[in-house]
Amino acid sequence: MDNRPLIDWHSMFMGVALLAGARSKDSRKRNGACIASADYKIVGVGYNGLPRGCDDNDPTYWSDDDNDPLHSRHSYIVHAEVNAILNCVVLPLTGSTIYTTQYPCPRCVQSIIQVGIQRVVYLEKKSHHTALNEASAKMLRDAGVDVQALQELEMRAAAWCQELSTFIAKPER
C-alpha cells in the first residue's frame, strides 16, 4: 500500500495558481498566484483582473495601446500577485512563499517584499522583459527574498504543472 500523496506541495500550490489564472478574463495572458504559509496552508490566491466594480465588458479596459495609458490594459489590470496579497486571510505574510505563474514585475515585487513574503517560486519568465526582470531581481536580492523557477526547484512538479496548464488551455468541446 502506497501512502504517498499524488502530488507534492510545489505541485499543489503552483496548481492552485494555474487554476486561479484560469479565472482571468485577460485573453492575452492569464496569470495566477497562490501564497502558502511556512506550515503549508494556503493564505491567499489571486489572478490578474480588473478592480472590483469595473465593467469587464468595457473595451477600454482591454485595449492594447501601451503608448496611451488611457487605452492600455496595463493601466487597469491588478496583477495576480497583488490580488493574492489583497485576498489574504492573514497579514503579515512573514516566512511565506508566493507561487506565481509569471515572474513578478517590479510593482508586484514591491508588494511581495512589503508584506514579508520570503520566497518566490515562478513558472515562466518573459525573456523579452529583460530590464523589468533585472529590476525585480535586484529588489528581491537586496531584500533577501529567495527566488526559484519551479523547473529548477522540482522538475517533477514543473512537468505536472505543464500538463495541468495544457489541460486548462484546451478549448471547450
Side-chain angles (χ1 to χ4, degrees), residues 64-72 74-75:
D64 274 323
D65 184 357
D66 288 338
N67 294 318
D68 178 3
L70 182 62
H71 295 100
S72 171
H74 297 291
S75 296

Side-chain angles (χ1 to χ4, degrees), residues 12-34 44-49 62 77-81 83-84 87 99-102 123 164-165 168-169:
M12 183 175 118
F13 297 135
M14 190 61 80
V16 169
L18 284 164
L19 290 170
R23 287 288 310 147
S24 174
K25 294 175 182 132
D26 186 347
S27 61
R28 297 284 307 269
K29 185 64 179 168
R30 290 177 167 86
N31 288 315
C34 175
V45 175
Y47 57 88
N48 57 322
W62 305 106
I77 298 292
V78 180
H79 289 189
E81 299 90 335
N83 260 332
N87 291 334
Y99 290 80
T100 64
T101 56
Q102 189 73 50
L123 198 55
L164 178 60
S165 184
I168 291 169

